[in-house]
Structure formats: structure tokens, C-alpha cells
């Protein structure tokens, strides 16, 4: 069995979660760590997140029917349709669908429960929710190792500490046998 324990001091010290429905951070936390993604990849993920599938129609039919309007009535079957027909002024979608598309991509929650609300939980949402005097640290998903090392260096974690942590994390793993 492979040991997946991180050898990062940052991972060892980061123990709280701040997400849409979870906030177990101390209000006096001095640093808030955000992981950010490529904006286009995030938009595609958010588009697909609220898109109902067969499982949703079977297990959550009311939710799935509400969300299906955005994807089938507008019609935004794929992200390309969303961009071409919903975000372009000359797009073929009805005006209400264009309004939903624009508000969705801007992260505006319309509370109509038909357009995707996953975009609402964007960086602005989190920024407004954290203590105003927090220091914000950012890791870019596409440069995760480099950014973790930079933050560890900021906190003066040196290579010897990393190696000691890695060694202690691997005690009892298959690598020791």
C-alpha cells in the first residue's frame, strides 16, 4: 500500500476548512489560504457542477427539474452553447437566458433556483466572509508545488524541516519494509 501523506509542512499546519457550508476556522486566524484555479477551467467545472444527470432526476427530481431549465430551455447543453448563445449579444438564446448566463458567470445569485448557483461561491464570496485583517495566501493549482514551497519559505521552513517531516510521515509505511 502506498503512503500518500504529504511531506509539506504547510499541509501539516493547515487544518481548517473554509468552504460553502463549512467554516471551522478561528475568527482570529492570521492567515487564510486560498487555492485558485485557471479561470476557464473553473468556469467549465461550475457549468457542469449544477447540470443535472440521470442520477439527479432519479434521486432529486425537484432540484433536477429546476436546474434543467437553464441547460435545456435556453438551450445550454454544453459550455460552448452557453458562451455562444448566452454570453454573446448576438446569441440565439431568449433574453431571460442571456440574463441568467451573465449573472451566473458574474457570480450573482439570483435566488431563482434555475440558473447555476455554483458560480456564486466565487472568490468574492469568500473574501467577504473572512476577517478583514486576515493575510491572504494563494496557491495556484497549476503551480502547486512551487507555491507551497514559496509559502513555506515565507514562514522560514527550511529543507531540513521538510526532510524531517517527510521522514516522520513515512514511518510505518510500506517504504520502510
Amino acid at each position: 500500500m502506498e503512503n500518500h501523506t504529504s511531506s509539506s509542512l504547510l499541509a501539516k499546519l493547515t487544518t481548517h476548512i473554509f468552504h460553502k457550508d463549512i467554516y471551522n476556522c478561528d475568527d482570529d486566524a492570521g492567515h487564510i489560504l486560498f487555492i485558485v484555479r485557471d479561470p476557464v477551467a473553473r468556469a467549465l467545472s461550475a457549468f457542469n457542477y449544477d447540470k443535472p444527470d440521470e442520477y439527479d432526476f432519479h434521486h432529486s427530481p425537484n432540484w433536477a427539474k429546476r436546474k434543467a431549465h437553464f441547460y435545456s430551455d435556453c438551450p445550454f447543453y454544453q459550455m460552448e452553447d452557453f458562451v455562444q448563445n448566452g454570453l454573446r449579444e448576438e446569441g440565439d438564446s431568449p433574453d431571460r437566458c442571456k440574463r441568467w448566463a451573465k449573472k451566473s458567470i458574474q457570480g450573482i445569485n439570483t435566488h431563482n433556483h434555475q440558473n447555476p448557483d455554483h458560480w456564486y461561491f466565487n472568490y468574492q464570496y469568500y473574501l467577504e466572509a473572512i476577517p478583514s485583517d486576515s493575510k491572504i495566501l494563494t496557491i495556484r493549482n497549476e503551480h502547486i508545488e512551487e507555491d507551497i514551497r514559496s509559502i513555506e519559505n515565507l514562514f522560514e521552513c527550511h529543507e531540513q524541516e521538510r526532510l524531517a517531516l517527510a521522514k516522520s510521515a513515512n514511518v510505518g509505511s510500506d517504504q520502510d519494509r
Side-chain angles (χ1 to χ4, degrees), residues 23 40 46 52 56 63 67 84 97 101 124 127 142 173:
Y23 184 81
V40 175
D56 297 320
W63 177 87
K67 295 298 179 179
Q84 294 296 330
C97 293
Q124 186 67 33
L127 180 62
E142 294 79 16
S173 71

Side-chain angles (χ1 to χ4, degrees), residues 3-174:
N3 184 350
H4 292 286
T5 305
S6 173
S7 62
S8 165
L9 182 61
L10 182 62
K12 188 84 168 174
L13 298 174
T14 307
T15 59
H16 299 286
I17 298 173
F18 179 37
H19 194 261
K20 180 180 100 172
D21 297 327
I22 303 169
Y23 184 81
N24 69 355
C25 302
D26 296 327
D27 287 336
D28 62 349
H31 294 87
I32 304 289
L33 175 65
F34 285 99
I35 310 292
V36 296
R37 299 171 61 183
D38 172 88
V40 175
R42 187 177 187 289
L44 179 59
S45 176
F47 175 83
N48 289 321
Y49 185 85
D50 277 330
K51 188 176 185 178
D53 58 20
E54 291 303 316
Y55 178 87
D56 297 320
F57 280 104
H58 183 68
H59 289 86
S60 304
N62 291 335
W63 177 87
K65 287 175 189 172
R66 279 195 316 272
K67 295 298 179 179
H69 290 289
F70 181 81
Y71 294 96
S72 59
D73 294 352
C74 285
F76 302 143
Y77 303 117
Q78 304 295 325
M79 184 69 166
E80 178 74 16
D81 303 319
F82 171 77
V83 172
Q84 294 296 330
N85 298 323
L87 296 177
R88 289 179 50 236
E89 198 171 301
E90 3 359 276
D92 295 334
S93 291
D95 287 342
R96 72 178 162 78
C97 293
K98 288 181 182 180
R99 282 193 305 275
W100 290 350
K102 186 174 181 182
K103 288 179 188 250
S104 293
I105 200 87
Q106 290 174 332
I108 297 171
N109 190 352
T110 61
H111 302 289
N112 73 3
H113 304 293
Q114 291 180 336
N115 59 316
D117 56 4
H118 194 68
W119 275 312
Y120 171 69
F121 299 102
N122 59 20
Y123 302 124
Q124 186 67 33
Y125 169 85
Y126 292 105
L127 180 62
E128 292 172 2
I130 63 173
S132 61
D133 58 346
S134 297
K135 293 181 181 91
I136 297 174
L137 304 172
T138 306
I139 294 177
R140 299 164 295 171
N141 199 43
E142 294 79 16
H143 303 280
I144 197 162
E145 279 190 50
E146 173 188 345
D147 290 352
I148 286 173
R149 297 292 187 229
S150 293
I151 291 172
E152 288 177 339
N153 288 336
L154 176 73
F155 290 111
E156 299 180 356
C157 171
H158 302 289
E159 193 61 29
Q160 293 298 355
E161 292 170 298
R162 287 189 193 114
L163 293 172
L165 180 62
K167 184 177 180 182
S168 69
N170 289 324
V171 171
S173 71
D174 287 342

